[in-house]
Amino acid sequence: MEIIFDENEGNIFCGESYPIYSLKTPDKIDFKSVLQDVRKLIKANSKNKVILIKPEKENKYFLLFAALMGVEGCDDTCYPLQAVFKVHDFKQATISYRPYFFFGIAAIYILRLLQMNSDTMYKDIRTLGYLGLDIQTDYLNNTISLHLPNPGKKYQFQVASLHNTVILSSFIKMLSLLKSDIHIDISIVLKMQDFNPKHKIDTDNLLSKLYWCASFFLNNADRKEY
């Protein structure tokens, strides 16, 4: 699903008229509730190519809602194909949305990794070097180290579970996309293990934990020191 910000008033988009959905935007965010509201809206418009959304306030709730619309609509075969948010200032909305867009990429990466077997997943994680990560494999200790070399405070995590592997691999992917906007040096050491991708996993819980990791950066997008 394509996320679009449109500062033109009214219910016209690309020369056609559509109903406008009024989005309530509370200041308090409950991630799983936002996710459920996104799913309800997508389901209600499953036969529409375009949905117009008018947020009450252009706050962090609205930005997260837009990002999760993109996550839930990452299958291009599903409708709606475009979510158009009616905003006051297209340029400012685009700038504010940038870190949330990267959060959406990280959330989709979690879903992708969970569909892979062990070998494929770790191979895919190793390819994240293209984002500027320093990636080392220690075959003696059966670990993969992901390092985002960046000026700033240093953090290091040791990861042994599948859940934390996909969460923190996706989190460091998000941080690497935000690299020029943050001053943080982070290392994650993944303990490689076998797992069965067919086991039922609570993906909503994993996405919620990713948001918990990312929320400080999303809520302090203008801050560089952490």
Side-chain angles (χ1 to χ4, degrees):
M1 182 188 303
E2 183 181 10
I3 305 301
I4 299 170
F5 300 115
D6 179 20
E7 63 184 12
N8 296 308
E9 295 184 358
N11 65 338
I12 304 297
F13 178 71
C14 290
E16 295 188 39
S17 62
Y18 301 93
I20 295 183
Y21 172 77
S22 180
L23 175 65
K24 294 182 179 180
T25 53
D27 293 324
K28 186 177 180 180
I29 293 176
D30 178 87
F31 179 84
K32 289 187 178 180
S33 295
V34 181
L35 186 57
Q36 291 304 316
D37 289 343
V38 165
R39 288 172 177 163
K40 289 177 183 177
L41 184 58
I42 290 176
K43 184 176 180 180
N45 290 272
S46 60
K47 296 182 180 180
N48 300 326
K49 291 184 178 181
V50 177
I51 177 171
L52 302 188
I53 303 169
K54 176 63 177 177
E56 290 181 341
K57 292 185 289 185
E58 294 172 25
N59 57 5
K60 293 177 174 63
Y61 184 100
F62 140 69
L63 295 169
L64 178 61
F65 194 95
L68 291 178
M69 287 287 287
V71 173
E72 288 296 303
C74 62
D75 183 352
D76 291 338
T77 64
C78 298
Y79 282 13
L81 298 177
Q82 295 172 317
V84 181
F85 289 84
K86 293 289 186 174
V87 297
H88 293 101
D89 187 330
F90 161 78
K91 289 184 178 179
Q92 184 56 53
T94 302
I95 293 170
S96 299
Y97 182 63
R98 184 173 183 270
Y100 288 83
F101 173 73
F102 293 146
F103 167 76
I105 290 176
I108 292 171
Y109 192 55
I110 282 184
L111 303 179
R112 273 187 52 207
L113 291 177
L114 292 174
Q115 296 175 350
M116 303 175 185
N117 60 36
S118 307
D119 290 341
T120 305
M121 184 186 75
Y122 290 120
K123 286 178 182 177
D124 196 285
I125 289 173
R126 289 190 190 97
T127 67
L128 295 178
Y130 79 94
L131 292 172
L133 294 174
D134 178 20
I135 301 179
Q136 303 291 331
T137 303
D138 184 341
Y139 291 101
L140 291 178
N141 294 305
N142 206 34
T143 62
I144 298 176
S145 299
L146 310 174
H147 177 217
L148 176 62
N150 217 20
K153 190 173 181 180
K154 295 182 181 294
Y155 295 87
Q156 183 165 336
F157 300 90
Q158 302 283 336
V159 181
S161 70
L162 169 64
H163 288 184
N164 287 336
T165 293
V166 297
I167 291 169
L168 289 178
S169 296
S170 300
F171 177 55
I172 200 171
K173 180 173 184 176
M174 172 189 153
L175 293 182
S176 65
L177 291 167
L178 282 168
K179 184 175 180 179
S180 62
D181 296 334
I182 59 173
H183 290 168
I184 183 173
D185 183 298
I186 183 170
S187 297
I188 298 174
V189 180
L190 308 175
K191 184 71 174 181
M192 291 186 284
Q193 57 189 306
D194 293 328
F195 70 92
N196 185 344
K198 294 183 180 180
H199 288 171
K200 187 174 181 179
I201 297 175
D202 185 352
T203 56
D204 287 4
N205 189 47
L206 297 188
L207 295 178
S208 180
K209 288 182 177 179
L210 174 66
Y211 176 72
W212 181 85
C213 293
S215 58
F216 183 82
F217 300 91
L218 298 176
N219 295 332
N220 296 275
D222 296 331
R223 179 178 175 181
K224 291 184 178 293
E225 297 292 344
Y226 301 95

